[in-house]
Amino acid sequence: MKIIKAKDYVEMSRKAAYYIADQVLLKPNSVLGLATGSTPLGTYQELIQLYQNGEVSFNQVRSFNLDEYYSLGPDHPQSYRYFMDENFFNHVDVQPENTHVPDGLSPNPDAFSADYDRQITNAGGIDLQLLGIGSNGHIAFNEPGNVFIAQTRLVDLKEHTIEDNARFFDSKDEVPRQAITMGLKSILGAKRILILASGENKADAVKAMLEGPIDPNLPASILQLHPNVTLIADEAALSKAGNR
Ligand code: GLP
């Protein structure tokens, strides 16, 4: 795994935005795998800035988001579709019909998930997958102890993740208990992976991802098996990892 160090969140976001913009400049019709959460927020802001400066266009880009809370519709302010529209898609020239986020209201999540994977395959696979990391080492909503290699599917969220994400809701009780998530198989199928980490609360997970055994209890550790992963992390997130 290649590691790019950043001083802080702002520098991490800037470096990540350039990394993604480079991908799109080299291949304007790139298929991007996109992530939500507080970590990539600054990256999207930087990308919007690059777009507004005329340095990059998303006109031909196709995108597939990692996950969505199961039971939240696109109008719910905490749904990941809403997050993506508000924080990125509405501010750049991506064609709305080329953006995909799992349907949190799908009446048949199994069929939906199989179709989502088929659409990714039909688009030629993901060129660049953007990831965050949960403080328990989850990626997308692939929780510790879940089946390690799986396709897109409906999953139950761990209490730890519900507590972490409760900060975005009025109360913990409002956090959905399930989500549709891209599986690690689909994620590992990406040609390149960019994972971001910021803040001290990610330091244990980052250390285990980089130095620990490949272990389903730390889902991000499977990234050690992918040939083209770049981690952009700030000093706080790297503070527990050995000298590099
Ligand atoms: C959620 C998302 C993940 C994200 C994680 C960390 O659980 N499903 O994709 O990486 O939160 O979020 P944050 O970046 O807010 O710390």
Side-chain angles (χ1 to χ4, degrees):
M1 189 176 304
K2 186 172 170 211
I3 301 172
I4 298 176
K5 292 181 190 167
K7 190 164 48 79
D8 53 19
Y9 180 78
V10 171
E11 194 179 298
M12 177 202 75
S13 303
R14 197 162 298 146
K15 287 182 171 179
Y18 277 114
Y19 194 96
I20 296 166
D22 276 351
Q23 167 71 39
V24 175
L25 287 170
L26 287 170
K27 185 180 178 195
N29 65 345
S30 287
V31 178
L32 299 181
L34 296 177
T36 53
S38 47
T39 309
L41 211 46
T43 303
Y44 291 133
Q45 283 162 4
E46 294 283 346
L47 282 172
I48 292 167
Q49 199 61 55
L50 290 174
Y51 163 71
Q52 287 174 347
N53 294 346
E55 293 181 56
V56 66
S57 164
F58 299 91
N59 190 34
Q60 296 179 55
V61 161
R62 291 153 297 160
S63 72
F64 290 87
N65 260 77
L66 285 170
D67 45 14
E68 178 62 281
Y69 286 116
Y70 193 58
S71 73
L72 298 194
D75 297 332
H76 191 291
Q78 294 310 330
S79 76
Y80 286 169
R81 162 53 80 179
Y82 190 94
F83 174 103
M84 290 306 300
D85 287 345
E86 284 289 300
N87 293 303
F88 187 48
F89 296 147
N90 288 349
H91 308 283
V92 295
D93 59 346
V94 68
Q95 308 293 316
E97 64 274 20
N98 288 342
T99 69
H100 305 85
V101 180
D103 178 6
L105 297 178
S106 170
N108 188 341
D110 289 349
F112 176 86
S113 299
D115 188 56
Y116 200 71
D117 283 333
R118 240 185 330 266
Q119 286 189 57
I120 294 173
T121 305
N122 291 344
I126 291 171
D127 291 304
L128 176 61
Q129 176 67 57
L130 176 63
L131 294 176
I133 182 169
S135 63
N136 64 357
H138 75 244
I139 44 182
F141 271 131
N142 293 281
E143 295 278 33
N146 261 347
V147 183
F148 217 162
I149 302 286
Q151 310 276 14
T152 299
R153 69 210 182 286
L154 183 68
V155 295
D156 294 331
L157 302 184
K158 294 274 185 204
E159 200 57 28
H160 185 99
T161 298
I162 291 167
E163 278 162 17
D164 268 3
N165 290 353
R167 68 189 194 279
F168 299 112
F169 293 80
D170 287 339
S171 78
K172 191 181 138 189
D173 293 342
E174 287 182 26
V175 185
R177 268 39 194 168
Q178 290 185 301
I180 295 178
T181 183
M182 226 187 248
L184 292 171
K185 182 163 186 192
S186 327
I187 293 169
L188 289 176
K191 297 177 187 82
R192 299 163 76 208
I193 295 176
L194 174 63
I195 180 161
L196 308 182
S198 169
E200 214 191 322
N201 69 325
K202 301 293 171 70
D204 286 321
V206 167
K207 179 182 169 64
M209 168 178 74
L210 294 173
E211 297 170 5
I214 296 170
D215 179 353
N217 284 311
L218 202 295
S221 63
I222 202 167
L223 298 178
Q224 293 175 28
L225 294 178
H226 192 283
N228 196 334
V229 183
T230 298
L231 165 69
I232 305 182
D234 63 16
E235 285 172 6
L238 284 169
S239 59
K240 294 189 177 164
N243 263 347
R244 285 158 199 283

